[in-house]
Each structure stands twice: as structure tokens, then as C-alpha cells.
Amino acid sequence: MSQMGKVYLVGAGPGDPDLLTVKALRLLKAADVVVYDRLVSAEILAMIPEKSKRWSVGKSAGRHCVPQDQINPLLYDLAKRYPSVVRLKGGDPFIFGRGSEEAEYLGQRRVAFEVVPGITAAAACTAYSGIPLTHRGMSRVVHIVTGHFRDDEPIDLDWERLTGPESTLVVYMGLSNIERIAEELMRAGMPGATPAAAIQNGTTPNHFCLASRLDRLALEVREAGLSAPVLLVFGEVVRMAEVMGDWFCPTTLTQALVGER
Ligand SMILES: C[S@@+](CC[C@H](N)C(=O)[O-])C[C@H]1O[C@@H](n2cnc3c(N)ncnc32)[C@H](O)[C@@H]1O
């Protein structure tokens, strides 16, 4: 064990390189090898020193991502060869990032690891769209769920719990199932007029926020041709984008669409 290196499970944040933590940057600069996902932005990858080895395990043109059951042993093998291995992930490593599976695997093999939290998409993409996750009188509960389901599987979520009053629902990986998600929410009692938003490439120079209402969001998202990564947000707080939605992104569709109602 004493000969083994250490693995740092590091969150890179949602895209804007200025949202990288000081600790993440320090570790990146000192890494012998960096294993990174496709959601890590090019600007952040450019901060990796030339001398450090890089290992992409994310999807790129024409290539599939490396399966998780190959990433875990890869990290273990790299820790045997290098003192400092940075496992760099988009957002936060422990929020839909499978960082905890990697930590568990390494821990079981007595490889030392550290977890460096990153700013998760739910916090950053909404803030950059002028949407607060909570707001007095509008929302005091936040639900964060995954919208990733296989086509042949029922969506196994307690929709009624997610549609409660004064709450905000944030859906990661929901783009391909947006129609099913909207239908389930309305069936569970969420009014069709509930403000809803889809945020594409949040916090990057291509940040785009489409704000609408629950019963129209899916259609408008398809018409606008949004593509991943996209974060979905449902709840009264989306209305706040009318007031402060353009502080970061003047091209947002927010004002036009929410204002239409
Ligand atoms: C596998 S999850 C990883 C989440 C990440 N660990 C985090 O904490 O943000 C990928 C999903 O996160 C959301 N996401 C991450 N970065 C995003 C961004 N910059 N803009 C919009 N959505 C983003 C999208 O829903 C995307 O499909």
C-alpha cells in the first residue's frame, strides 16, 4: 500500500473554467496522470500541464465511452504506477458522477483516495440562467433526479412526491425522455402552466436557457433542436429568470417565452 499512489476524485464543475475550485486546480497542476470524462470542458483540459499524461474515458466522435467496470481497474492500475492520479469529472463527482463507485472500488483495494467536490450542474446552470433553486415564497424543497431510463423500462420515480407545492424539481440526463417526464409530472398533478426550463451547455460560452411551461417544454425543446448536456428545471422559481435571466447570457429565450403567458 505504501508504494501505491493516491487517486483524487475531482469535480471539474459544469464547464466555466472559473468555477473550478482552488483545490481542483492545485491537484490538476501536480497530477502525474489525469483520467477525464467527456463533460470536462476544453478550457479546463488546457490547464493540465504538458508533462502530465491524459486519459479520456468519455465519448468522443465515433467512440463509445469506457465502461465503468473498466474505469475502476484502470484507476487501480494507474495508482500502482503514478504517485498522483486525478480522476476528473464534470460537475460534482458524487452527483450522478459514479465517483462513489470508484471510491468504493479503490477503498476495497486499500488505495488511498480523496474526494474534491465540484459545483454541480443543478447549482451552476440554474444560477447562470437567473433561476434560484430556492426562493422565499416560491420554493423551499429541491428534488434532484435522473431522467435517464431505458426505453423499455417504466420510469420508476415517485412522481407525486416530486410535484409537491413550493418545490423545485431538477432533472439530470432527461433530454431524451423529456416527453415522458412531462407527461408523468402532469399525470401526477403538476399543472401544465408550471414554469419549466431546459438549460443547454450551462455556464459555457454556448449557454442557452429555454424557459417555457411544463405542457410546452418538450415540443419547444425539440423545435429548438437542443442537444446534450441539458438540465431540466420545473417549478415557480423558473419565473425568476424573467427578472435576472440575462445577467450571464443575453441570448436566452427566457424573457420572450415566460413573458408570453
Ligand atoms: C452524468 S451526469 C453528470 C452530472 C455531474 N456529475 C454534475 O454534478 O453536474 C450528466 C448530466 O448532467 C447535466 N449537466 C452537466 N453539465 C451540464 C451543463 N454544463 N449544462 C447542462 N446540463 C449539464 C446534464 O443533465 C447531463 O446529461
Side-chain angles (χ1 to χ4, degrees):
M1 168 108 176
S2 57
Q3 299 305 313
M4 293 290 273
K6 193 170 193 179
V7 178
Y8 299 90
L9 302 165
V10 177
D16 180 350
D18 283 351
L19 294 181
L20 202 62
T21 64
V22 174
K23 187 168 185 179
L25 182 59
R26 179 167 56 75
L27 291 169
L28 263 193
K29 295 284 183 200
D32 297 300
V33 53
V34 179
V35 179
Y36 62 93
D37 283 342
R38 86 195 140 96
L39 274 181
V40 177
S41 68
E43 291 91 336
I44 289 174
L45 294 179
M47 296 175 184
I48 302 171
E50 293 253 312
K51 62 176 174 48
S52 310
K53 297 194 176 358
R54 292 159 182 234
W55 211 299
S56 166
V57 291
K59 260 184 225 152
S60 63
R63 269 185 43 210
H64 286 295
C65 53
V66 178
Q68 191 64 43
D69 61 4
Q70 290 177 26
I71 296 174
N72 295 345
L74 171 67
L75 295 175
Y76 179 71
D77 287 344
L78 290 172
K80 284 199 265 188
R81 287 159 51 201
Y82 299 101
S84 173
V85 178
V86 166
R87 172 70 174 109
L88 193 61
K89 292 167 170 287
D92 180 87
F94 277 10
I95 297 188
F96 300 128
R98 307 192 74 168
S100 46
E101 293 169 43
E102 293 168 9
E104 189 178 28
Y105 183 94
L106 295 168
Q108 284 165 350
R109 284 153 189 82
R110 302 180 61 74
V111 177
F113 64 84
E114 268 187 45
V115 184
V116 181
I119 301 184
T120 191
C125 299
T126 52
Y128 274 46
S129 304
I131 301 171
L133 287 177
T134 66
H135 186 80
R136 200 154 52 93
M138 279 187 181
S139 170
R140 48 197 175 129
V141 177
V142 181
H143 299 286
I144 291 180
V145 302
T146 172
H148 178 70
F149 310 97
R150 288 219 297 269
D151 285 347
D152 49 346
E153 282 177 0
I155 302 187
D156 186 19
L157 283 173
D158 184 347
W159 296 99
E160 272 164 33
R161 273 189 66 199
L162 302 177
T163 57
E166 288 200 51
S167 66
T168 305
L169 172 62
V170 182
V171 183
Y172 286 65
M173 296 171 279
L175 179 63
S176 55
N177 285 315
I178 187 169
E179 290 82 2
R180 291 173 75 191
I181 291 165
E183 277 163 26
E184 295 281 5
L185 287 172
M186 287 188 279
R187 195 172 302 140
M190 189 181 272
T194 303
I199 305 163
Q200 173 186 260
N201 291 317
T203 81
T204 74
N206 300 320
H207 178 108
F208 181 69
C209 174
L210 193 164
S212 180
R213 38 186 274 171
L214 172 61
D215 56 3
R216 296 209 301 243
L217 188 70
L219 184 66
E220 288 170 3
V221 160
R222 298 302 180 210
E223 281 175 359
L226 298 199
S227 59
V230 167
L231 190 79
L232 306 177
V233 189
F234 302 91
E236 286 300 316
V237 287
V238 172
R239 261 183 225 290
M240 296 299 289
E242 278 183 295
V243 186
M244 46 186 190
D246 58 359
W247 76 263
F248 175 67
C249 181
T251 58
T252 183
L253 274 186
T254 302
Q255 283 168 322
L257 288 167
V258 175
E260 250 177 37
R261 266 197 300 274

